[in-house]
Amino acid sequence: MAQASTALASAGRWSSAKREHARALFTELANLPANSPRHKVVRDELVEMHMPLVKHLARRYRERGESQEDLAQVGMLGLIKAVDRFEVARGLEFSTFATPTILGEIKRHFRDHAWAVHVPRRLQERNIAINHAIESLTRELSRPPTIAELAKGTKLSDAEVMEAMDAGRAYTAASIDAAAEANGDGDSPYDRIGGDDQELETLELRESFRPLLAALPERERRIVMLRFFKNQSQSQIAEQLGISQMHVSRLLATSLAQIRAGMSDY
Amino acid sequence: MRTENVHSHPQPSDVTLSFRAATANVALARTMAAAMAARTHLTIDQIEDVRLAIDEAVSQLINDCDEQTHVHCDFTETAGTLVIQTRATTRSGLPPATDTFSWLVLAALVDEVTAGADNGLVHLELRINRPASVTV
């Protein structure tokens, strides 16, 4: 419990009025039909109110080599689940209730994304530094950096940057199954992107790759759609989904390989 | 997206890679393509796209090749453009169709993709331009 109250304290130092407001919203949510428009409004407000808690918990893992954005994103899944399951009548603080669920999602992310092969500590640390440099240089240059620019920004040689990025690829994307499990309950923020399936209808492609596309987990399917049917860059997709560009790249490679494997019509 | 016979390079390729048409060898082409993309000072987004594109191009050729055939990849950098030409003598001897998902993927990943066939020798050429804002 001490853990959770610390989290709340640094996540916001809420006024008693704000705490009351949250309790009132939870009470209202419990009495609303799940499919009513008001239910969605209240649920969204509660999720938004508690986002600082997710960011706070994600920061605990900042030395572990995953981007903070990726961690906050998986933590959000935990937050949404907690909002849906919280029973205000039980008298628990929401942060106390939600913390284990959010941490559970973050830990599962680490479990699913473990380094697939043994990668020396030195390379893992370089990978963290490079990920930070990618984020800041992309903002600064308004485009993704080159290897040479990354080398300059991290005081590493071109070869060292390439080596560390290769090692980063050993940091595997979640297994297709795990991703499906995480996204399959319809709670995922990715579900809200929606709307671009129409693009598919206008394309007259020879093969029936639609079933193969449909077989991908929700998030991977979105990424494939955005990259190849909306022509967005990997960086743009990364920003839109709140994950790192390297993560988008890994997911794209896995998805294309899966589609290719299922395609008989080459 | 043009489909025509690929013109010969105005200059010899910087690097040529040749390997037996086996899926296990695709990784070699991918690694070489990424290294050449870095050397051309492409952005990391483009480098990742080049990796995916050569995967797609080479896999497409290999699927239409007998195992003992060799796939050749020529890598050339000309004035900020990386040109990758892949070629192999395939069973069908036909250039890849352009109404496939695979072609759509290639077209989205690189600035220009062209394909052609000449006496059973099928070639696919990918061109990727360095952004003007990159100073070398």
Side-chain angles (χ1 to χ4, degrees):
Chain A
M1 291 307 117
Q3 208 178 41
S5 37
T6 315
L8 181 66
S10 36
R13 275 179 259 301
W14 281 13
S15 63
S16 55
K18 196 172 179 188
R19 250 198 302 274
E20 263 322 298
H21 181 54
R23 293 193 78 78
L25 286 175
F26 273 119
T27 309
E28 187 183 354
L29 190 69
N31 295 313
L32 285 168
N35 53 359
S36 68
R38 178 68 189 154
H39 184 277
K40 187 183 179 319
V41 171
V42 173
R43 182 174 179 251
D44 286 353
E45 187 178 344
L46 281 166
V47 168
E48 201 163 318
M49 275 178 99
H50 292 94
M51 260 157 44
L53 175 63
V54 173
K55 292 203 175 116
H56 170 79
L57 293 171
R59 269 199 297 274
R60 284 193 194 170
Y61 296 87
R62 64 175 166 258
E63 303 308 331
R64 296 281 291 273
E66 267 298 273
S67 98
Q68 283 292 294
E69 286 172 356
D70 289 355
L71 291 184
Q73 189 79 60
V74 297
M76 283 295 290
L77 295 175
L79 174 61
I80 292 167
K81 282 183 188 166
V83 165
D84 288 343
R85 290 173 197 159
F86 184 57
E87 291 173 43
V88 70
R90 288 189 168 190
L92 267 181
E93 282 295 334
F94 177 71
S95 61
T96 308
F97 176 81
T99 296
T101 315
I102 296 168
L103 287 178
E105 288 295 332
I106 293 175
K107 283 176 186 161
R108 184 161 75 170
H109 178 79
F110 278 110
R111 191 193 67 208
D112 293 342
H113 290 65
W115 289 89
V117 295
H118 176 70
V119 172
R121 185 84 219 155
R122 171 182 58 90
L123 284 181
Q124 292 186 29
E125 281 163 6
R126 278 185 193 163
N127 203 263
I128 298 171
I130 289 166
N131 267 325
H132 286 313
I134 290 173
E135 283 176 27
S136 60
L137 283 170
T138 302
R139 267 195 304 274
E140 196 181 305
L141 301 164
S142 309
R143 60 158 170 82
T146 64
I147 297 289
E149 286 161 348
L150 272 176
K152 209 173 154 202
T154 50
K155 299 192 168 62
L156 295 167
S157 70
D158 287 12
E160 284 168 335
V161 171
M162 296 276 282
E163 187 192 24
M165 288 184 78
D166 280 342
R169 268 180 216 100
Y171 192 78
T172 56
S175 74
I176 301 276
D177 288 346
E181 190 193 334
N183 294 332
D185 54 9
D187 279 348
S188 150
Y190 306 111
D191 293 342
R192 296 186 208 137
I193 297 165
D196 38 23
D197 284 21
Q198 280 171 338
E199 296 285 307
L200 271 180
E201 303 306 319
T202 61
L203 271 163
E204 298 213 359
L205 293 180
R206 186 211 300 199
E207 336 87 332
S208 51
F209 75 96
R210 285 182 184 80
L212 296 168
L213 194 63
L216 294 175
E218 178 65 20
R219 174 170 61 173
E220 279 81 342
R221 201 165 71 85
R222 287 290 166 224
I223 293 175
V224 169
M225 292 296 298
L226 291 171
R227 183 68 193 84
F228 299 116
F229 296 93
K230 294 278 185 184
N231 263 323
Q232 292 197 13
S233 73
Q234 293 191 15
S235 291
Q236 286 169 326
I237 297 168
E239 202 184 336
Q240 192 174 332
L241 299 191
I243 58 179
S244 65
Q245 179 258 339
M246 280 170 96
H247 198 166
V248 170
S249 177
R250 288 193 293 257
L251 293 173
L252 269 178
T254 332
S255 303
L256 286 182
Q258 194 185 324
I259 291 176
R260 204 157 40 221
M263 202 96 90
S264 55
D265 204 5
Y266 261 117
Chain B
M1 275 191 254
R2 292 180 287 133
T3 305
E4 59 183 39
N5 282 344
V6 176
H7 40 80
S8 57
H9 294 304
Q11 64 200 74
S13 66
D14 294 332
V15 177
T16 299
L17 185 68
S18 172
F19 51 87
R20 204 167 50 76
T23 314
N25 290 333
V26 177
L28 297 174
R30 195 166 48 217
T31 302
M32 181 61 77
M36 286 299 291
R39 213 164 89 174
T40 312
H41 293 271
L42 301 182
T43 69
I44 54 167
D45 265 44
Q46 290 178 305
I47 297 173
E48 293 305 314
D49 282 348
V50 165
R51 292 171 64 93
L52 295 174
I54 193 139
D55 245 27
E56 200 67 45
V58 170
S59 301
Q60 227 179 101
L61 284 177
I62 286 179
N63 274 346
D64 193 17
C65 274
D66 290 326
E67 242 186 65
Q68 60 277 28
T69 337
H70 269 68
V71 177
H72 303 271
C73 302
D74 286 334
F75 301 88
T76 314
E77 188 207 329
T78 326
T81 297
L82 175 63
V83 182
I84 304 176
Q85 197 198 72
T86 60
R87 62 200 141 79
T89 303
T90 64
R91 282 190 296 263
S92 73
L94 296 170
T98 54
D99 58 348
T100 60
F101 179 66
S102 180
W103 186 266
L104 180 93
V105 164
L106 283 176
L109 289 171
V110 300
D111 291 303
E112 196 182 347
V113 50
T114 50
D118 202 357
N119 271 333
L121 184 70
V122 174
H123 24 219
L124 259 165
E125 189 177 285
L126 314 172
R127 302 175 80 91
I128 311 96
N129 305 321
R130 182 168 67 220
S133 60
V134 174
T135 46
V136 182

